[in-house]
Amino acid sequence: MSRVSLEGQVAVVTGAARGVGELLARKLSARGARVALVGLEEEALKEVSGRLHHDSAYWYADVTDHETMSRVAREVKERFGKVDIVVANAGVATGGPFTDSDPVAWRRVIEVNLIGSAVTARAFLPVLAESRGYLLQIASLAALTPAPMMTAYCASKAGVEAYAHSLRAEVGYQGVRVGVAYLSWTDTDMVRGADQDDVMRELRQRLPWPSNKTYPLGPAVDRLVAGIERRSAHVYGQWWLRGMQGVRGYLPALIGTVGQREMKRFAPRLRGMSSGLVGAGGAADEAARATHRN
């Protein structure tokens, strides 16, 4: 598919304060896009916005809040005149045994990653229909294969994959394209936060190659940018993820067998694992919710 120039286009990126969202905003801006940053870390968003190459603005918003996101969509349209691209990137994660998990943190992963993505799309689809634009949903290797100790994250990413594929069929006749992006373990605060737990880190290291590696952020985001330029239905942050599509049907049974063996090996070390949201983004989400409660 031919590439669409990003010069003068308006792109919205959620979860834009750090990691994938931050670097994606910078690379889109470098290609001439005007960027609207959305997230929960207001000072970080301001700093990112100030470093971009072209016109930009930022909005403090919880992507799970429908009224807030609807207001953001109106204000972005008023500020820039249109919206051509929306990247639903905001996400959080938690790890550890399901039976010992914090039910609030577990539910929050579903709320942010799945419900927040749907809220984002609901808010911006009317303006994307006006521009015949493109919605890119950030999913994960976790959408392609289940993994023990990651029940919430796998459920949320499998959910957003299915939701986005369904949405593509619904809105395509309006000229809106919908893509799903898959990323393996990429060097972000979220992954580094998960690696702070010895058990999670060792379990990941025992995965088969190439899924046991942490991949640099830059090349993965370059692939996302190329996917946005092509309005691709599927975007793969690492080259080998495309091949996973052909074998994904076999993976639940395989992991169900191998995973039992690994869990038995690590069982004595599972008690006392942290069960909250991981990384700086998780901490920002928890802080924002605490402020809202107060």
Side-chain angles (χ1 to χ4, degrees):
M1 185 180 297
S2 61
R3 297 195 180 198
V4 176
S5 171
L6 298 179
E7 188 71 37
Q9 296 217 334
V10 177
V12 178
V13 181
T14 68
R18 61 182 63 253
V20 171
E22 176 195 4
L23 186 55
L24 180 59
R26 287 165 47 197
K27 288 181 178 288
L28 293 174
S29 177
R31 284 163 172 78
R34 296 176 287 162
V35 183
L37 310 166
V38 181
L40 287 175
E41 298 173 77
E42 191 166 14
E43 287 302 314
L45 291 170
K46 180 180 180 180
E47 184 177 329
V48 174
S49 179
R51 295 201 307 266
L52 297 185
H53 296 77
H54 293 280
D55 190 18
S56 67
Y58 63 93
W59 279 261
Y60 174 87
D62 182 336
V63 295
T64 68
D65 187 324
H66 175 69
E67 291 185 2
T68 297
M69 290 302 290
S70 296
R71 173 182 56 78
V72 169
R74 291 193 303 270
E75 292 179 359
V76 172
K77 170 72 181 299
E78 292 169 0
R79 172 69 168 75
F80 294 103
K82 62 174 182 172
V83 175
D84 301 289
I85 301 155
V86 174
V87 183
N89 166 72
V92 293
T94 186
F98 173 72
T99 52
D100 297 330
S101 62
D102 175 357
V104 174
W106 200 99
R107 181 187 292 268
R108 185 60 180 171
V109 173
I110 304 297
E111 289 174 348
V112 175
N113 298 3
L114 176 54
I115 306 303
S117 294
V119 168
T120 298
R122 188 182 298 277
F124 282 97
L125 275 172
V127 287
L128 286 177
E130 293 175 5
S131 66
R132 301 177 70 84
Y134 177 66
L135 171 68
L136 181 62
Q137 173 62 58
I138 303 298
S140 168
L141 170 62
L144 302 174
T145 177
M149 309 279 279
M150 295 177 58
T151 53
Y153 194 74
C154 287
S156 69
K157 291 302 185 178
V160 295
E161 180 196 37
Y163 140 78
H165 287 329
S166 298
L167 187 63
R168 180 185 301 123
E170 289 187 25
V171 300
Y173 79 95
Q174 297 175 308
V176 178
R177 294 182 180 273
V178 178
V180 179
Y182 302 88
L183 295 170
S184 183
W185 305 94
T186 305
D187 188 19
T188 62
D189 288 321
M190 180 187 291
V191 171
R192 289 191 293 271
D195 278 351
Q196 289 178 1
D197 185 279
D198 293 341
V199 173
M200 293 297 293
R201 184 177 63 254
E202 290 179 38
L203 275 170
R204 187 161 74 83
Q205 291 170 346
R206 293 177 62 82
L207 293 171
W209 183 89
S211 63
N212 60 351
K213 293 180 57 180
T214 296
Y215 292 87
L217 182 60
V221 173
D222 285 339
R223 287 174 173 262
L224 298 184
V225 173
I228 291 169
E229 290 175 328
R230 294 188 176 99
R231 303 297 197 258
S232 299
H234 299 86
V235 184
Y236 299 98
Q238 288 79 29
W239 61 270
W240 54 271
L241 287 171
R242 185 187 300 272
M244 296 290 289
Q245 295 283 15
V247 300
R248 64 187 298 178
Y250 301 98
L251 295 176
L254 175 63
I255 292 169
T257 300
V258 176
Q260 289 184 54
R261 183 184 67 209
E262 292 297 300
M263 294 306 295
K264 184 176 181 179
R265 178 195 300 269
F266 282 90
R269 300 171 56 190
L270 298 182
R271 290 188 178 277
M273 288 185 63
S274 173
S275 59
L277 301 179
V278 301
D285 185 271
E286 291 177 341
R289 285 184 289 127
T291 300
H292 180 74
R293 286 194 299 269
N294 295 334

